[in-house]
Amino acid sequence: DLYRKVFVFQKDPSDAYVVLRARLEQPLHNFTVCLRSYTDLSRPHSLFSYATKKQSNEILLFKPKPDEYRFYVGGKFVTFRVPEARRDWEHVCASWESATGIAEFWLNGKPWPRKGLQRGYTVGATAAILLGQEQDSFGGGFDLYNSFSGELTDVYLWDTGLSPDKMRAAFLSLRLPPALLAWQSLSYEVKGDVVVKPRLRE
């Protein structure tokens, strides 16, 4: 149980990452991914990378610069411009639905204008899911200068789009519906220089 704990990615740049194991029984037509990050990086870095053998950026949350997030589905992305972080924790949730192609992005409990992405697409189920690196091939192909350094916590993946109430609940660390990946019951493997530590502050 990782309650009130964080992954600390110690080096910059780094070859370290964390592998997450999810029980995916079928392809995803809808999903929501949420996580909380704390970093002083200003260079590009990957937060959440979900690759299949066909598509290395099947789902990707990527921060190319301090005032921008990129949300990828099936290799295509939309950009969300954000205020430059004030060196504090940032909580992000991104959700997508195949039927409409609607991509939602929430930062610190607030929604950004919705965008369209990959309508009718299906996200493959046989996936390598990594924190801290961007995959350019299935489970590998890393660019060290896209690596994450800092702290990550509260990582979740659902096979549904969360309601606005649940998006806010994720930000506030309240009770959440059962998830494919849930921070409190995470199955993971650390590769390289990453340590689990208590959170320093709420």
Side-chain angles (χ1 to χ4, degrees):
D1 182 4
L2 292 171
Y3 179 65
R4 297 221 168 153
K5 296 206 166 75
V6 299
F7 289 131
V8 182
F9 293 77
Q10 301 184 71
K11 293 199 174 123
D12 172 28
S14 169
D15 58 0
Y17 58 101
V18 178
V19 182
L20 305 183
R21 292 185 173 57
R23 290 175 201 82
L24 287 156
E25 268 126 46
Q26 56 211 32
L28 300 175
H29 298 282
N30 307 283
F31 69 83
T32 306
V33 59
C34 295
L35 56 82
R36 215 178 290 274
S37 68
Y38 188 31
T39 181
D40 59 5
L41 289 176
S42 53
R43 62 164 175 76
H45 55 277
S46 174
L47 293 162
F48 181 95
S49 171
Y50 176 119
T52 58
K53 293 204 163 91
K54 282 190 192 158
Q55 176 51 257
S56 58
N57 294 336
E58 190 77 309
I59 302 172
L60 176 64
L61 266 179
F62 191 77
K63 200 166 186 195
K65 45 193 183 191
D67 61 353
E68 191 177 294
Y69 279 91
R70 279 187 195 165
F71 175 34
Y72 287 74
V73 176
K76 304 269 172 46
F77 70 88
V78 285
T79 297
F80 294 93
R81 298 189 199 293
V82 299
E84 198 162 321
R86 294 189 300 278
R87 300 288 177 256
D88 205 349
W89 283 98
E90 287 198 350
H91 184 266
V92 295
C93 287
S95 79
W96 173 82
E97 62 180 29
S98 175
T100 59
I102 287 286
E104 276 187 34
F105 181 84
W106 292 65
L107 177 67
N108 295 335
K110 296 191 178 79
W112 255 234
R114 287 171 278 203
K115 301 195 173 185
L117 180 64
Q118 291 285 58
R119 185 175 188 166
Y121 188 78
T122 302
V123 170
T126 307
I129 308 174
L130 306 187
L131 302 176
Q133 298 286 351
E134 183 204 351
Q135 302 174 77
D136 285 329
S137 59
F138 188 73
F142 307 144
D143 174 348
L144 297 191
Y145 290 94
N146 286 335
S147 64
F148 178 79
S149 89
E151 306 190 12
L152 283 179
T153 189
D154 295 347
V155 180
Y156 288 87
L157 175 68
W158 288 271
D159 58 0
T160 57
L162 290 196
S163 67
D165 283 353
K166 292 286 186 282
M167 289 287 202
R168 285 186 279 271
F171 169 59
L172 296 168
S173 298
L174 303 176
R175 278 194 61 172
L176 292 165
L180 298 172
L181 287 171
W183 188 249
Q184 308 235 352
S185 58
L186 204 62
S187 174
Y188 68 92
E189 187 182 350
V190 167
K191 302 280 194 179
D193 213 344
V194 182
V195 293
V196 176
K197 298 293 280 182
R199 248 161 90 166
L200 292 176
R201 47 185 279 258
E202 287 311 300

